[in-house]
Every structure is written in structure tokens, then in C-alpha cells.
Amino acid sequence: MRRASALLMALWVIAVLSIMVLSFAYEARQQTGINVYVRERNRVNRLVDAGRILAEVVIADYANASEWAEDEDTDTLFEDDRWYKEKRALKSGRPCVIGPILVDEENPDSGTVKVDIRITRGLNINELTPNSDQNWRLRWEMILKSHGIPEDYEVEAYDSQHHSRSQFKLINLLIASFADWVDADDNATSMDGEDCGAESKWYEEEYEDNKVDDEFKRYPRNGAIPDIKELSYIRGFRDFPVVLTGGVLNPEEDPKDQITVRGIADMFNTLGSAKVYVNDCTRDELMTVPGIFDEEDEEDLEKTTENIDAILGARSEEPDYDVDESLGWWQYKDFQDLQQRVLDYGGNNAQIGTEANNYLLFKPDDTTIFEITIECESMGMSRSVKAKAYLKDKDVRYVEWEEDPVGDRKDMQ
């Protein structure tokens, strides 16, 4: 009996000790895994710093990049400046890519970093106002019409002056309401004889009639908007959100009469300039440039389309002066260069008016906002950063910095 009790006790002690050993071993493995994770995480974080420094090296000195020459010695240039090609690209308004670079060429596990720099796309919406551009209304009209809103399409809206529902052209309603949201006065804007603007009084009456909660009440900013999302608070845009996001403008109509529009929100930002970087731009941006579209016949977009096709197509045609033939397309040096190459490409059917020169940029300037994307990888772990910055007094200054954007996240395990 005593032997049985002793054996049972011994087995129990062994079991307890085994559990303790297994527990310690598991904890040790967990701690080792944590240590490895922290070490690799810190390594990737250092790669982000490396990417930021690379971006700043290029942005801070792009203006001093040498121009391409047919007889240049690329080996010497590379020895003098490791990033001369990237600086040249940025100087001409082209996007530039650095990497992916292996941090330590002798150690494949050291991690890689890639940096993409481009001039921020989109027009600064705060520059499309009466105080900033004499053609502000014309450019707004081209944006709205080219995205599918018919010029004469009318909607019913509240008229605060007559205290009744009235018919307004939707384009006029949108443009006038935006102007009133950002201007400093309290006088509602009229367009084509329509009192279709909206100042604080209009919003106050609208909120009283519809009993809107205080937290959702928004009034004209009377100044520059800080975020494109604010457009959704403005009369017209908030009533027809598909103008911003895209969709069917009149879903209540018979399907054959429905109007599908493309959202305009992606056209804008709130930084930089409302000029178009012609060496890296979209068709929609070119559509807003006076001198490219036909101001006398805005409804006929055929001529405008021919001009835009020629601008985009001529970049892929080698010009008649010496250029780096290894490139797939050649940026425009200036407005005269653009005019000549477009004429050579499209003939007399594609001619750009001189007024366009006031709305086009060919190289970065002091209004330029650079969009920086940093992507880093090490031992299966990745980090990404999206930032916006500008150059002032030879210093790179950041206005946005977002780490691991939701849409760009990779496996972080």
C-alpha cells in the first residue's frame, strides 16, 4: 500500500514537473518570437527612416540636376551624384522611383526600401475661386460637364429669397454654392440671373426646416477648405452626392432617361496649385485648361478631345532636337516646345491657344507639393508610408505623413 502511494506520488510530481517544463519552454519560445518580431520591426522602422532620407536627398537638390547631354559621361555623373537620374526626372516634372534597394548587398536579409516621388496630382480647389482665377467659373463648368452633368440639367431646390421651391441649373447651383462657401462676404452668388448661391442664412433656414442635429450643422467656412470631404456639406453637393462619388444623378427617372456621372472628388486637392503639370497629368486635368478646350463652343468637346490626344500622344513621339533616346517618352520643356510638338503630331486639327500657358506647369516650382511613397520589407515584414511635402529654403517640409495606409497594408505578421 505504501509502495503504491509512493509510486502515485512520484508520478504526480513528475507530471507537475513536466507541465512546468513545457510551460517554461512555451514561454521561452513565445519570448523568442516576440524578441525576433521586435528586432525585425525595429529594422523595418529604420528602413522607413532610410527611405525618408533618400526622398529628401532627391527633393532638396533636384533643381541643381544637370541637363541631359548627348556626349555626357554617365559613369562620371554617377560617381559625382548617385541619384542624378532621379533628380533629373523630378526636375522635368516626371515621377521618379528609387529602388527597391537592398540595404546591404552582402546580406540578402538586410531588407529593401523603395521610394516613389511624384508631383501631387489634382487641382488645388482653393485656387478655383473668383479671387484667384478670372476663368474660375469656366474651369468649373468644364469639370462638371466633362464628368457627365448636362449643361442645362435642372433640379428643384429651395429658393431662400422667394421662400419657395424653384428650378435651377445644377451646374450653376454647384458652382455658386461653392463660391459662397469659401468667399469672405455674406452675399449669395447669382449666376445667369439665378439666385442659386447659399450663404449662412440659407443654411440656417435649411437646418430649421429639416430639424438637423447640431453636430451635423455646417456653415460656410468663408475661407480655404482644408479637406475635399468638406464639399459634401455644401448646397448642391450634399443634395447630389453622386457628383462627388459618381453614380446615377436621377435614379427616380425611367432607366432610359437616367444620367450617369463620374465623381469629381478625385480631381482636387487642397494644396499646391490649380495649374496642370503637363508632363504628368490626367485627361480630366487637361480638360480644365483654357486654350485647350474651345471656349466659344464648350458643348462641342470634339476639338478639345483632339487637343488632349495630341498633347498626350506627342510626348511619345521623339522631338526633332537631341534627346535621350532610351526614354519611352519625352517631357515638354516649355510652352513653345509643347505647341510645336502638338502641331507636328496632330497637324492643324490640334492647336493649343496661348492662354493655356497661364495654366500649365512644365517643372516644379515653389507651389509644388510632392507625394512620397515609401515601401520597406525585411524578413517577411513590411511597412509603407504615404506623405506629402514641399520644399522651402532648401528644407523638405511635410504637410502629411500616414504610416501603413489602410489600403496599402501587407502582411504584418
Side-chain angles (χ1 to χ4, degrees), residues 318-334:
E318 186 174 337
D320 59 3
Y321 49 82
D322 291 337
V323 292
D324 184 354
E325 295 181 356
S326 66
L327 300 177
W329 60 274
W330 296 269
Q331 68 273 10
Y332 297 112
K333 297 187 298 184
D334 51 36

Side-chain angles (χ1 to χ4, degrees), residues 47-296:
L47 293 178
V48 169
D49 290 336
R52 175 183 57 80
I53 292 171
L54 285 173
E56 292 177 0
V57 166
V58 173
I59 293 174
D61 195 46
Y62 76 86
N64 297 321
S66 61
E67 300 292 340
W68 179 86
E70 188 175 8
D71 59 349
E72 65 184 17
D73 185 340
T74 56
D75 292 335
T76 300
L77 287 171
F78 188 83
E79 290 178 2
D80 293 340
D81 187 350
R82 169 66 177 81
W83 313 111
Y84 80 93
K85 289 184 178 180
E86 289 80 1
K87 292 176 182 178
R88 275 185 184 174
L90 207 60
K91 184 177 182 178
S92 65
R94 297 164 60 106
C96 75
V97 179
I98 305 172
I101 298 173
L102 189 62
V103 177
D104 184 355
E105 295 183 357
E106 298 181 356
N107 179 12
D109 295 329
S110 61
T112 61
V113 59
K114 177 182 177 182
V115 181
D116 183 288
I117 309 171
R118 67 167 59 241
I119 294 171
T120 298
R121 281 180 170 166
L123 310 175
N124 183 350
I125 196 170
N126 293 309
E127 295 290 316
L128 294 175
T129 62
N131 293 331
S132 301
D133 184 354
Q134 64 178 356
N135 287 319
W136 72 281
R137 175 180 171 181
L138 199 58
R139 299 188 76 189
W140 266 105
E141 289 175 350
M142 289 303 296
I143 291 171
L144 296 170
K145 289 192 291 186
S146 66
H147 281 70
I149 300 178
E151 182 178 14
D152 295 327
Y153 181 73
E154 293 188 344
V155 297
E156 186 180 86
Y158 178 68
D159 184 344
S160 60
Q161 180 176 353
H162 301 96
H163 303 286
S164 62
R165 306 290 291 183
S166 300
Q167 293 291 121
F168 297 99
K169 290 182 179 179
L170 179 57
I171 286 181
N172 287 353
L173 187 71
L174 295 168
I175 297 175
S177 297
F178 171 76
D180 287 338
W181 189 271
V182 297
D183 65 24
D185 63 47
D186 201 33
N187 301 316
T189 298
S190 295
M191 295 182 64
D192 299 335
E194 297 179 335
D195 295 322
C196 50
E199 290 286 359
S200 297
K201 179 181 178 182
W202 184 91
Y203 289 94
E204 186 66 44
E205 294 179 359
E206 177 76 2
Y207 296 145
E208 288 179 356
D209 293 343
N210 292 281
K211 298 180 180 179
V212 177
D213 293 338
D214 289 342
E215 61 181 305
F216 297 111
K217 291 181 179 179
R218 297 291 189 276
Y219 295 90
R221 181 172 289 274
N222 296 328
I225 64 173
D227 193 318
I228 295 302
K229 294 178 181 178
E230 190 165 314
L231 287 174
S232 62
Y233 302 142
I234 301 175
R235 182 190 189 188
F237 295 99
R238 68 185 201 134
D239 303 314
F240 299 92
V242 295
V243 171
L244 298 175
T245 61
V248 178
L249 190 62
N250 52 344
E252 71 285 352
E253 298 287 342
D254 188 279
K256 69 177 186 298
D257 297 323
Q258 290 179 353
I259 301 171
T260 300
V261 299
R262 294 185 296 122
I264 68 170
D266 291 342
M267 282 285 297
F268 304 113
N269 61 57
T270 57
L271 301 168
S273 169
K275 293 185 177 182
V276 175
Y277 293 92
V278 70
N279 289 320
D280 184 27
C281 63
T282 65
R283 299 182 66 88
D284 285 338
E285 289 170 345
L286 290 173
M287 188 73 73
T288 72
V289 177
I292 292 179
F293 64 75
D294 188 347
E295 300 173 40
E296 296 182 358

